[in-house]
Amino acid sequence: MSGFRTISFDAIIVGGGGAGMRAALQLAQSGFRTAVLSKVFPTRSHTVSAQGGITCAIGSADPEDDWRWHMYDTVKGSDYIGDQDAIEYMCMEGPQTVYELEHMGLPFSRTASGRIYQRPFGGQSKNYGKGGQAARTCAAADRTGHALLHALYQGNLKNDTVFLNEWYVVDLVKNQDGAVIGVTAINIEDGEACFVQAAATVLATGGAGRIYASTTNALINTGDGVGMCLRAGFPAQDMEMWQFHPTGIHGAGTLVTEGCRGEGGYLINKDGERFMERYAPNAKDLAGRDVVARSMVLEVLEGRGCGEHGDHVMLKLDHLGADVLNSKLPGILELSRTFAQVDPVKEPIPVVPTCHYMMGGIPTNIHGQALTRDSAGSDELVPGLFAAGEAACVSVHGANRLGGNSLLDLVVFGRAAGKHIEELLQQGMQHRNAASADIELAMARLRRLDESSEGEGVAALRSELQDIMQLHFGVFRTGEFMREGVEKLSALGQRIENAYLADKSKAFNTARIEALELENLFAVAAATATAAEGRTESRGAHARDDFRDRDDDNWLCHSLYFPAEKKIGKREVNFKPNIVDTFEPRERTY
Amino acid sequence: MLVSIYRYNPEQDEKPVMQNIDVDVPADRDLMVLDVLELAKARDPSIAYRRSCREGVCGSDGMNINGVNGLACITPISKAAGPGRKLVLRPLPGLPVIRDLVVDLSGFYRQFEKVKPYLINDAPPPAIERLQSPEDREKLDGLYECILCACCSTACPSFWWNPDKFIGPAGLLQAYRFLADSRDTASAARLAALDDPFSVFRCRGIMNCVAVCPKGLNPTRAIGHIRSMLLQQGT
Amino acid sequence: MVTNATSLGRSGLFDWLVQRFSALVLLAYAICILGSLALTPDLEYESWRAQFDMPAMRIFSLIALLSLCAHAWVGIWTVTTDYLNEAQLGRAGTLIRLLAQTVCALLTLIYLFWGIRIFWGG
């Protein structure tokens, strides 16, 4: 295999966040040879930044709570393009998955009776929207993601999972039949490139918020998994659907949890008015995130923004009192003092809608198996390839994700993928053979960088990309302006293909990693731009000035972006849950 | 702003050097040290350091900033260097350097793994969660928040002297996190494993760990609690 | 490898207790001596000598002497395992430490027997 070392496992998981480590845990417990390849030490993954909690109907805050109510909220929150079989599975399996995390040691906050503390979050209701606000989000103070990620890492240590930490996965390796047979990867510490072979490859690489200039996402969120799939010719689904979180700290982009509003905080404009009462009379500040983010932008556009430039609004928390803030939102106090130089105990926090979450991703079924299209236009499994978490699009979030559903998505579908792979391996799923040409093809990208002798630097190209996305594909979008963005992107794409890597050294060369990441960012951005321009309606997080209404006749469907043709197609949404009746699309108000 | 960065690339350099870089920093706002590093890296992409969340929760960018360990992403330059002064960035002390500001943390992680940092409870779990009173849960505050950034252990002289045998403040904080958990049933075994002359007892109460912890945690107090538990178990 | 073979006690806790307990004994002994000095302003050799010939004082002195040696040994052992090991000195570290510890152990023993001779030798 021309000089490349080959390492072999039954299953590999790319990414050490919540989804990857939950899948790894399942497989480690089953005894199959499993490895997690993560470009950072696992507890540095972006799951660690999740704050508010994990939503599911464990019936602690309200013994009458029902997973079907959670399902109803999620379907409605998705603006009806979430797949109902997947949402049903997630909401039904949720409680068991959360109990497992608790048994693993996750230090949830507690109620007086010793059960897991649950707080209200946006878009939650009782009795199918008829029973008022629910409190369904299980929390460990405002550090739930940190607590969850560390508990999962601890669980994996206990079960002797193999970790290849600080290994960067470059590309999928496909064989002649189109099956995925492993990945090419670099050991960052010494720069060695390897072929890592596996019967099952799980992409749990998280989101790609770094395609935007202003994002709550970690610097590592560069959409590596989606980029790899697109390069391998597989489609990506619903890439136009990006959630802008209402409360990112103005200027810094750092996230302030929705839990703030769950605990009783609210947004005010420059007149001190609680403006969400006008936009969502019932749910107010706890309407869906897309609704709140749009309302905030409208306040700013209509001249009621705060600050010197009138470009943000304020999140008021001081009325909750120091005791509640210290016990329920200690991390928020810390972040606000550091990044906004304000003390929420005394004054409000300046916030703006900030890119937060990629609802789209690699299309999968509920077992995490990646899907593509056959020539007849129906779904087809990609042999050997799986995806879970933010990188995947199952799709449980549709056009808008509800707060607290992302952590649930990670662990439910990480676990489901792990279980399914376990079954397949038990049934005798084998390594597929690789021809050296297959590996050479996947190594080509690495070679190009090492041979580059001139071109533009990565940092400048990256910030240009982020500025284009921020400007042309933000909270409000219009067709003509997006087409302009698509053209700019296509010009930028050619320059990115010729990006120059000056430093060709091997040991911990972060410049090489950033150059490889840039190509993934671009692949995701191009998919987003094309899909956003193509979907001629407003739905969930996708809001167009030139098509202001939801168009169920034409667009009650997923979009599929095909990288080879650079075009989008449509894929049916699943309206057939197994146990409950279908939730029919209705007008979505809060 | 003048930034002095520890540079060492094992493929090119025999010895590390301090490189001075002049970085243009906006005058109207206070940047974090990580922002300055990113600006420096945009000019010289060969500078290597770890970073991820850029908000002080992932623990990637622990480094020695003007002589004090801290996280680059939440240390404002005004606090780190002060007006007109040079910003001096070195890797965390006491660990082998892989390149520039990147240190080999494997020894640090080994000490963490030694304390069996996971909940042990062999009783079959109930159908729902294990119950825990808010008072018992409160005992974990100040312990579970650790982000494994290694600022504390690499500021600890005892850890410098015996990195292979003294667990160090970060590992011991986690050891106590599980000793203090009402759901954990392995206290006796955990304590027995800590009762040698090195693991816990090399702590001299210097409290560098407390001084540098970016999350405001107090490993020295946790070590004191472990010692009391050992004493109670021993007598 | 720094082994625990040369440690005084069976465990870190034991060493730690020895260190604290012996320190208390030494404190009490120092107070006792200083107190008796303060109470007898015109101290002469004969009365000083008589004090130390009292059986109770002999026993107390012996305990203090043992405490001093134990305290010193735990301290020396700790300091040598901190500074004189392979991490600090390279491969020769263990050998250097064992030599230093042997010298210190011999000195401590010499002081111990010499002290016993002084207090109990008649």
Side-chain angles (χ1 to χ4, degrees), chain B residues 86-108:
Chain B
K86 187 159 75 165
L87 184 65
V88 184
L89 304 177
R90 295 171 186 274
L92 289 173
L95 295 177
V97 173
I98 296 174
R99 172 174 174 167
D100 300 343
L101 301 172
V102 178
V103 292
D104 180 357
L105 286 164
S106 51
F108 169 79

Side-chain angles (χ1 to χ4, degrees), chain B residues 5-87:
Chain B
I5 303 178
Y6 179 102
R7 299 302 306 271
Y8 173 68
N9 180 340
E11 292 159 53
Q12 295 156 15
D13 308 324
E14 266 186 31
K15 274 197 270 184
V17 289
M18 295 303 291
Q19 180 191 12
N20 284 319
I21 303 180
D22 205 6
V23 180
D24 291 329
V25 243
D28 58 332
R29 59 200 176 99
D30 196 9
L31 296 187
M32 298 294 167
V33 171
L34 180 64
D35 300 326
V36 177
L37 259 177
E38 293 274 286
L39 290 171
K41 191 174 171 70
R43 282 185 40 187
D44 178 356
S46 71
I47 304 171
Y49 51 89
R50 295 186 175 101
R51 83 286 180 277
S52 171
C53 75
R54 61 86 178 87
E55 57 187 27
V57 296
C58 79
S60 295
D61 60 355
M63 59 185 70
N64 188 272
I65 304 164
N66 288 63
V68 182
N69 288 357
L71 296 180
C73 59
I74 53 168
T75 306
I77 49 176
S78 60
K79 189 181 150 226
R85 283 188 50 209
K86 187 159 75 165
L87 184 65

Side-chain angles (χ1 to χ4, degrees), chain A residues 496-542:
Chain A
I496 287 176
E497 274 176 31
N498 294 312
Y500 173 47
L501 177 69
D503 176 11
K504 305 204 166 54
S505 60
K506 294 206 164 288
F508 224 100
N509 186 344
T510 50
R512 178 180 284 116
I513 304 302
E514 288 186 19
L516 294 166
E517 287 173 340
L518 176 62
E519 292 178 68
N520 293 326
L521 285 172
F522 178 77
V524 172
T528 296
T530 309
E533 202 266 321
R535 187 182 276 273
T536 50
E537 64 155 354
S538 289
R539 181 186 299 273
H542 179 63

Side-chain angles (χ1 to χ4, degrees), chain A residues 2 4 55 75 112 130 162 169 173 186 227 246 304 312 325 347 369 386 388 395 408 412 458 477 516 537 552:
Chain A
S2 65
F4 297 117
T55 303
V75 171
K130 298 191 280 283
V162 176
V169 172
V173 179
I186 307 176
R304 290 188 293 278
H312 58 272
L325 294 177
E347 48 199 333
Q369 291 175 293
F386 299 75
S395 144
L408 187 65
V412 166
V458 167
R477 302 161 171 183
L516 294 166
E537 64 155 354
D552 282 352

Side-chain angles (χ1 to χ4, degrees), chain A residues 375-388:
Chain A
S375 48
S378 11
D379 287 350
E380 184 184 33
L381 295 176
V382 180
L385 186 64
F386 299 75

Side-chain angles (χ1 to χ4, degrees), chain B residues 176-197:
Chain B
Y176 185 60
R177 177 247 174 276
F178 290 99
L179 285 166
D181 196 322
S182 61
R183 300 168 295 172
D184 191 275
T185 55
S187 285
R190 290 180 188 280
L191 288 172
L194 292 171
D195 191 29
D196 63 285

